[in-house]
């Protein structure tokens, strides 16, 4: 009888141990399930500038142009910056004119190729083969389609502004034009284009390198701007009549 009782107690202990093992494994599985979700939710809450969800390289297109802007190939990027700097120095500092330069370059190329084609028989060197080049219909249609989309978007924005339905766009466009006019008064178009080019070659690279520091600062700046805009909206924008009056519609 005592042996039978001991056997029953040992069986009960084994059952209890299995239950505890199952509970601990299920709890560990649930913890493991929660961890990636918590991690993903944490990553989802990280503020990124302009609300981007992709890396900077993908945002810039992910191709060779993005590699140049982010200095993935330093030789190519340095060559591009050096060429732009040479053009700016040539036209701005040396006061060389674009039309004059284009004509001189074409004269040099045409004269060199023409002389090479005629002298090749005497120097026993073959003349360079001029490849056949033509612009396909797909390229023209692609460019026209892209321009059509951008022009239609600009026309839609202009229509919203002129109809008085979107005061925010009106303020943004006026502020942008005013800012461009102020910056344009500081220098001529070539210098401004060169400055913009240099910024495009430096700002994305520096941002990608220090994005962990820039994004928190940008988040604080956006929060402060939203607060200031709410105050400006309550005190100024909400008091401005927008669109046609209801009385005119009824009439």
């Amino acid at each position: 009888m005592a042996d039978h009782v001991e056997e029953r107690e040992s069986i009960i202990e084994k059952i209890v141990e299995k239950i505890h093992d199952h509970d601990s494994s299920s709890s560990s599985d649930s913890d493991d399930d929660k961890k990636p979700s918590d991690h993903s939710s944490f990553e989802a809450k990280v503020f990124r500038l302009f609300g981007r969800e992709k890396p900077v390289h993908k945002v810039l297109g992910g191709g060779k142009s993005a590699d140049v802007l982010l200095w993935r190939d330093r030789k190519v990027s340095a060559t591009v910056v050096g060429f732009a700097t040479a053009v700016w120095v040539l036209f701005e500092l040396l006061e060389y004119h674009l039309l004059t330069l284009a004509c001189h370059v074409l004269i040099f190329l045409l004269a060199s190729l023409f002389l090479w084609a005629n002298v090749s028989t005497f120097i026993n060197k073959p003349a360079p083969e001029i490849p056949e080049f033509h612009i396909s219909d797909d390229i023209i249609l692609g460019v026209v389609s892209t321009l059509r989309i951008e022009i239609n978007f600009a026309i839609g924005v202009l229509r919203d502004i002129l109809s008085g339905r979107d005061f925010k766009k009106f303020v943004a466009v006026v502020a942008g034009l005013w800012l461009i006019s102020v910056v344009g008064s500081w220098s001529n178009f070539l210098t401004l284009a060169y400055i913009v080019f240099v910024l495009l070659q430096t700002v994305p690279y520096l941002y990608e390198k220090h994005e962990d520091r820039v994004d928190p600062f940008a988040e604080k700046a956006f929060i402060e701007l939203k607060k200031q805009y709410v105050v400006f909206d309550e005190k100024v924008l909400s008091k401005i009549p927008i669109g046609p009056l209801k009385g005119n519609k009824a009439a």
Side-chain angles (χ1 to χ4, degrees):
M1 187 68 180
D3 294 337
H4 183 65
V5 172
E6 289 179 356
E7 289 179 359
R8 289 181 61 185
E9 289 179 353
S10 62
I11 292 172
I12 293 173
E13 289 178 356
K14 290 180 180 180
I15 293 173
V16 172
E17 289 178 357
K18 288 182 179 181
I19 293 174
H20 283 297
D21 293 337
H22 179 70
D23 292 337
S24 61
S25 61
S26 61
S27 62
S28 62
D29 293 338
S30 62
D31 292 338
D32 294 336
D33 294 337
K34 289 180 181 179
K35 286 181 181 178
S37 62
D38 294 339
H39 182 66
S40 61
S41 63
F42 176 75
E43 289 183 349
K45 293 179 181 179
V46 175
F47 177 84
R48 293 299 180 189
L49 195 61
F50 304 118
R52 64 179 181 86
E53 297 179 355
K54 300 179 181 179
V56 180
H57 189 267
K58 292 293 184 181
V59 173
L60 295 176
K64 294 183 178 179
S65 59
D67 294 338
V68 173
L69 292 175
L70 296 176
W71 291 76
R72 299 293 173 87
D73 192 342
R74 295 184 179 275
K75 292 182 179 179
V76 176
S77 299
T79 303
V80 171
V81 174
F83 177 76
T85 304
V87 171
W88 179 76
V89 170
L90 189 65
F91 289 112
E92 187 64 22
L93 298 183
L94 301 181
E95 297 182 354
Y96 211 72
H97 299 287
L98 177 61
L99 184 60
T100 305
L101 177 63
C103 292
H104 288 175
V105 170
L106 289 175
I107 290 171
F108 176 76
L109 291 176
L110 290 174
S112 300
L113 294 174
F114 181 80
L115 292 175
W116 194 347
N118 287 278
V119 181
S120 60
T121 56
F122 299 99
I123 61 177
N124 295 325
K125 288 186 178 181
E129 295 183 359
I130 307 301
E132 295 184 0
F133 179 77
H134 64 279
I135 300 176
S136 63
D137 296 337
D138 295 335
I139 295 177
I140 298 297
L141 293 176
V143 172
V144 172
S145 177
T146 303
L147 289 176
R148 180 183 63 83
I149 294 172
E150 297 297 331
I151 291 172
N152 288 335
F153 176 76
I155 291 174
V157 173
L158 183 61
R159 184 173 180 274
D160 292 339
I161 293 173
L162 295 178
S163 61
R165 290 182 298 182
D166 198 332
F167 189 75
K168 294 180 182 179
K169 289 182 180 179
F170 169 74
V171 174
V173 171
V174 171
L177 292 175
W178 177 79
L179 182 61
I180 293 173
S181 66
V182 172
V183 175
S185 64
W186 295 344
S187 60
N188 57 18
F189 178 76
L190 181 61
T191 303
L192 181 61
Y194 177 70
I195 292 173
V196 172
F197 178 79
V198 172
L199 290 176
L200 288 176
Q201 285 293 134
T202 54
V203 173
Y205 170 74
L206 293 175
Y207 171 69
E208 185 187 36
K209 191 175 181 180
H210 304 284
E211 60 180 337
D212 293 336
R213 299 179 182 178
V214 175
D215 287 338
F217 178 78
E219 183 179 12
K220 295 178 181 178
F222 275 112
I223 293 173
E224 186 63 26
L225 286 175
K226 287 181 180 179
K227 292 180 181 179
Q228 297 298 328
Y229 178 78
V230 170
V231 175
F232 181 72
D233 188 23
E234 292 178 355
K235 294 183 177 180
V236 179
L237 299 183
S238 60
K239 298 180 181 180
I240 298 176
I242 300 175
L245 298 176
K246 295 181 179 180
N248 294 335
K249 286 185 177 180

